[in-house]
Amino acid sequence: MSRPLYRGFSGSGGKDRCADEDRHYDPKEPAENGIGAGTAARGRKRHLAAAAARIGVLVLAAAALVGSVAWAGSLYAGRGAAAAMAAASAHRGYRRLQEQLVTDLLDIGVLAGGGLRSREAEVCAAEYENYVPCYYNGSDAVDVSDLGGGVVISYDRQCARDGRATCLVAPPRAYRTPVRWPSSKEFIWKDNVRISGHEFSSGSLFKRMMVEEDQISFPSDAHMSDGVEDYAHQIAEMIGLRNEFNFNEAGVRTVLDIECGFGTLGAHLFERDLLTMCIANYESSGSQVQITLERGIPALIGSFASKQLPYPYLSFDMVHCARCNVEWDKNDGGFLVEVDRLLRPGGYFVWTTSLNTHRALRDKENQKKWTTIRNLANNLCWEMLSQQDETIVWKKTNKRDCYSSRKSEPVLCAKSHDPESPYYKPLNPCIAGTRSKRWIPIEHRTAWPSQARLNSTELDIHGVTSEVFGEDTSTWDSMVRNYWSLLSPLIFSDHPKRPGDEEPQPPFNMLRNVLDMNAHFGGFNAALLKSGKSVWVMNVVPTNAPNYLPLIFDRGFIGVQHDWCEAFPTYPRTYDMVHADGFLSLEKRQKRRCSTLDIFLEVDRIVRPEGWIIIRDTAPLIEAARSVAAQLRWDARILDLDIASDEKLLVCQKPFLKK
């Protein structure tokens, strides 16, 4: 059962770091960053004070221990069973008091030592401001503008736990607090993303932007005769709907947008209750993923190059590709097989390309490519629903017997194949098949928003009882209400403005991009939506936790599997808040894993300046996490969940250090 939060605060919090949006971060300012600001003499004084404090603590603790032994001995010297029992009870009570005394003395020792703590992390050099581990090395930084227009640099994902930067990734000098949703759909600050001249030359629908002195604007439909609204309407008609407002009724809720441009389609579909995940290759400049996230739309670095995407089987109702750079006719059809794995039965693959226009098909090479792709789609049991202009729509079969009646490859996967946990595994050339209990046509599934509340039959597929699911739901409903009660107005969207800001437009959203490090059933996500917050959540299921990611997708949410000892596939400064419930306990149970500092450094990289980190866990782990947070210069405070509870809440804010 859920417990109310106890309004008790402790820690180093309480200092308000909010100011106006025009603050700038100087990574070389010693007074702000706390590195190199002290002198050798000051350092010696601190060490002497700390040593004296430690000696005092040890003396007092030893005296307390000796006193407890002598006192307990005197009690046990009495005669009779009753006296012995009373003495034992008193002894246990005294031990608790003594342990609290030692803890208090240790806290006093820290205060006496001048706030002594572990050395603060160094700030990375300026070339690391867009550092993306697994894809990028700061020492190999390249200014793409020097390479000429049209050059795209991308690297395949290669993660190594050793050799990663162990410093704090600072934002660019001219970085500004991001524009808040929903205004961010229309414009973002130019200096918050890394761009070069060639990004502005593209005239495609999904890469239209206007660059002004300090901002990048994205033209709305009102200024386009062939805008995204017309495009979405066309897709709806091609699958037999009246318009794009009927997507949910047809079973479409989650969309995977391959190389999404700058998230224009996802921003539009969000207003139609569709949740769109953008994926694109790593790009060192003009990144589709970085700009899309800056606009407040879900995005992740991902590629069809050589590995499966970290999503389970049957995740998406629609996969969209508009002039993306995937060569669907290559790799023996392996890229289309991966799309088939991700699509639910009855789902749609929407492909917009210039390849199949009358002019393009005059070329024999284009004819060959188009024939290959069409035959591969037929072999996957896809039905071509419609073709208009440059857009083609295929529908994945919802008939189980189609696969057995085929006479050509690709073959069905063996029974031992696991399509639900594909964490960066090589592309698989076989069709995952129909054996899963989740193989349910989208038109037979519960429509959104009721989809988020799975019934007992749907829960049974995932081995979850209605009672467990119901308790999880009520717990998170209560926790989110308590989060708002305790932490508004600084953090959540109920507060209309922050100090120094102009009055924002409704819905006054101070949070938009949220990442849940240990999502479990997606209960935090569900509670946020139930409370009416205009946020989206990247639900992360750790690879060392039970895999409930299929359940999360079946609820109509999005998420990803991830090993938190590796870098998360995103750019720096892309999330407003990171949330973790029970994550520290999960990591503690593992052996030979990475350190908490390593993980928190990664969290610091992806959280925006002035962003928030909320960690819920057992009291000892929260206390330990607070000391790590101090190394990263986070403002941290501890909240008691309940006086009788052994869980605590660590609430941290990443500072925006200004010159």
Side-chain angles (χ1 to χ4, degrees):
M1 295 296 292
S2 61
R3 294 181 291 269
L5 294 176
Y6 176 66
R7 293 174 181 267
F9 291 81
S10 66
S12 58
K15 183 179 178 182
D16 186 5
R17 291 186 178 266
C18 293
D20 60 67
E21 284 189 341
D22 294 324
R23 285 167 301 179
H24 301 297
Y25 191 125
D26 188 354
K28 298 180 181 179
E29 185 70 358
E32 290 288 348
N33 294 343
I35 295 178
T39 63
R42 266 192 229 133
R44 284 193 296 272
K45 288 179 181 179
R46 269 200 312 270
H47 287 305
L48 288 172
R54 288 195 184 101
I55 292 171
V57 169
L58 289 173
V59 170
L60 288 172
L65 288 170
V66 170
S68 68
V69 172
W71 184 74
S74 67
L75 285 175
Y76 277 108
R79 308 232 174 182
M85 290 179 63
S89 176
H91 179 62
R92 285 194 296 270
Y94 187 79
R95 281 292 301 275
R96 286 195 293 269
L97 290 173
Q98 182 268 328
E99 288 167 0
Q100 183 61 47
L101 171 64
V102 172
T103 300
D104 293 343
L105 289 173
L106 288 172
D107 288 341
I108 292 170
V110 171
L111 293 173
L116 184 71
R117 59 185 179 184
S118 300
R119 183 181 177 184
E120 291 180 334
E122 300 283 347
V123 177
C124 298
E127 59 263 29
Y128 279 81
E129 63 189 28
N130 287 291
Y131 177 58
V132 182
C134 302
Y135 296 92
Y136 175 86
N137 187 326
S139 62
D140 296 333
V142 177
D143 188 348
V144 178
S145 60
D146 294 339
L147 303 178
V151 176
V152 177
I153 295 180
S154 64
Y155 306 96
D156 196 10
R157 177 180 171 88
Q158 295 180 350
C159 281
R161 295 181 184 177
D162 297 329
R164 258 193 4 219
T166 56
C167 49
L168 300 175
V169 176
R173 186 177 294 270
Y175 183 85
R176 302 171 70 174
T177 300
V179 179
R180 297 299 176 185
W181 180 271
S183 299
S184 59
K185 280 196 304 183
E186 308 301 328
F187 77 96
I188 61 175
W189 302 125
K190 184 178 70 175
D191 291 323
N192 285 13
V193 296
R194 187 175 185 181
I195 54 176
S196 59
H198 77 274
E199 282 89 19
F200 313 130
S201 61
S202 175
S204 68
L205 171 62
F206 303 108
K207 282 196 172 183
R208 288 176 176 164
M209 62 167 65
M210 297 174 60
V211 182
E212 301 174 17
E213 183 176 348
D214 63 348
Q215 68 185 44
I216 300 171
S217 301
F218 304 91
S220 64
D221 283 326
H223 302 97
M224 292 187 284
S225 60
D226 58 343
V228 67
E229 185 172 351
D230 292 338
Y231 180 73
H233 186 81
Q234 177 189 359
I235 294 172
E237 287 186 332
M238 291 175 72
I239 65 177
L241 304 177
R242 180 181 299 176
N243 55 49
E244 69 269 27
F245 289 95
N246 300 115
F247 275 126
N248 285 161
E249 296 175 18
V252 179
R253 160 65 179 168
T254 52
V255 180
L256 181 68
D257 196 359
I258 303 170
E259 296 188 16
C260 61
F262 302 134
T264 300
L265 180 64
H268 177 76
L269 293 180
F270 184 81
E271 304 301 326
R272 275 61 176 168
D273 279 334
L274 270 67
L275 193 55
T276 303
M277 170 84 82
C278 163
I279 61 163
N281 290 325
Y282 167 76
E283 299 162 287
S284 57
S285 178
S287 164
Q288 299 169 78
V289 170
Q290 185 185 39
I291 293 174
T292 297
L293 284 163
E294 189 72 15
R295 295 182 69 186
I297 302 157
L300 203 69
I301 300 174
S303 156
F304 280 83
S306 60
K307 304 285 176 61
Q308 292 181 336
L309 294 173
Y311 311 117
Y313 178 47
L314 311 176
S315 294
F316 295 95
D317 306 311
M318 180 183 290
V319 175
H320 173 262
C321 162
R323 297 191 177 182
C324 59
N325 293 315
V326 181
E327 297 186 75
W328 299 109
D329 59 313
K330 303 297 184 182
N331 194 32
D332 297 324
F335 302 139
L336 285 176
V337 172
E338 174 67 355
V339 172
D340 184 84
R341 184 184 71 83
L342 296 171
L343 271 178
R344 290 194 172 102
Y348 304 97
F349 178 50
V350 181
W351 184 34
T352 297
T353 175
S354 60
L355 177 65
N356 66 321
T357 60
H358 292 296
R359 177 178 296 180
L361 291 178
R362 293 173 187 170
D363 181 81
K364 291 185 177 180
E365 186 63 29
N366 287 340
Q367 289 180 21
K368 182 180 177 181
K369 287 182 178 181
W370 168 235
T371 301
T372 300
I373 293 170
R374 186 176 56 193
N375 290 338
L376 286 168
N378 289 337
N379 292 341
L380 289 169
C381 288
W382 292 0
E383 175 190 0
M384 184 186 290
L385 291 184
S386 183
Q387 181 174 351
Q388 293 183 19
D389 303 323
E390 297 183 347
T391 302
I392 308 164
V393 177
W394 278 283
K395 181 182 177 73
K396 178 176 174 176
T397 185
N398 55 14
K399 300 175 182 177
R400 294 176 180 268
D401 58 355
C402 178
Y403 296 108
S404 59
S405 63
R406 296 175 308 120
K407 297 181 179 179
S408 56
E409 294 185 342
V411 299
L412 292 175
C413 296
K415 291 182 179 180
S416 59
H417 176 66
D418 177 18
E420 303 284 21
S421 303
Y423 187 69
Y424 295 108
K425 293 179 181 177
L427 287 172
N428 201 304
C430 60
I431 300 174
T434 63
R435 288 187 297 272
S436 172
K437 293 181 180 179
R438 297 179 57 236
W439 207 90
I440 303 171
I442 61 172
E443 53 266 33
H444 297 163
R445 299 180 63 85
T446 305
W448 180 264
S450 299
Q451 182 179 3
R453 303 182 295 273
L454 299 179
N455 59 42
S456 58
T457 303
E458 293 165 329
L459 289 170
D460 186 60
I461 293 173
H462 302 279
V464 177
T465 65
S466 298
E467 291 75 18
V468 170
F469 186 77
E471 184 176 356
D472 182 80
T473 299
S474 62
T475 295
W476 281 113
D477 288 346
S478 175
M479 284 301 300
V480 165
R481 284 194 301 269
N482 287 324
Y483 285 175
W484 254 255
S485 173
L486 283 172
L487 303 176
S488 293
L490 286 181
I491 183 171
F492 289 116
S493 59
D494 293 341
H495 187 55
K497 60 173 289 187
R498 55 168 60 186
D501 282 356
E502 296 179 359
E503 289 289 346
Q505 296 298 313
F508 312 133
N509 208 56
M510 297 186 64
L511 286 180
R512 173 63 179 169
N513 303 356
V514 177
L515 185 148
D516 195 355
M517 294 179 69
N518 186 23
H520 201 53
F521 298 153
F524 182 54
N525 189 160
L528 288 172
L529 297 183
K530 189 175 181 179
S531 62
K533 310 307 174 187
S534 184
V535 302
W536 63 269
V537 179
M538 183 67 75
N539 293 284
V540 181
V541 174
T543 53
N544 58 335
N547 184 14
Y548 288 113
L549 191 57
L551 183 151
I552 289 171
F553 271 98
D554 286 354
R555 298 186 73 178
F557 307 148
I558 56 173
V560 67
Q561 270 195 312
H562 182 63
D563 181 351
W564 279 109
C565 285
E566 298 179 357
F568 193 74
T570 191
Y571 290 79
R573 304 171 299 277
T574 45
Y575 285 90
D576 300 309
M577 186 174 80
V578 170
H579 175 266
D581 173 48
F583 175 76
L584 299 175
S585 294
L586 177 68
E587 286 296 315
K588 183 183 178 183
R589 290 193 292 268
Q590 308 299 314
K591 296 181 179 179
R592 300 180 181 177
R593 297 277 296 172
C594 50
S595 69
T596 302
L597 178 60
D598 292 332
I599 296 172
F600 279 20
L601 278 168
E602 176 61 10
V603 171
D604 186 87
R605 185 184 71 86
I606 66 180
V607 172
R608 291 169 169 168
E610 288 191 337
W612 297 84
I613 302 97
I614 298 180
I615 303 172
R616 178 187 177 198
D617 224 302
T618 60
L621 291 176
I622 288 296
E623 291 290 351
R626 179 171 60 171
S627 67
V628 179
Q631 292 180 255
L632 304 183
R633 312 169 194 206
W634 296 349
D635 286 340
R637 63 183 67 182
I638 292 178
L639 284 68
D640 292 323
L641 291 172
D642 191 294
I643 295 176
S645 171
D646 65 343
E647 291 184 336
K648 291 182 181 291
L649 202 68
L650 179 65
V651 179
C652 305
Q653 185 177 27
K654 177 180 173 178
F656 194 147
L657 304 180
K658 66 177 183 176
K659 187 173 180 180

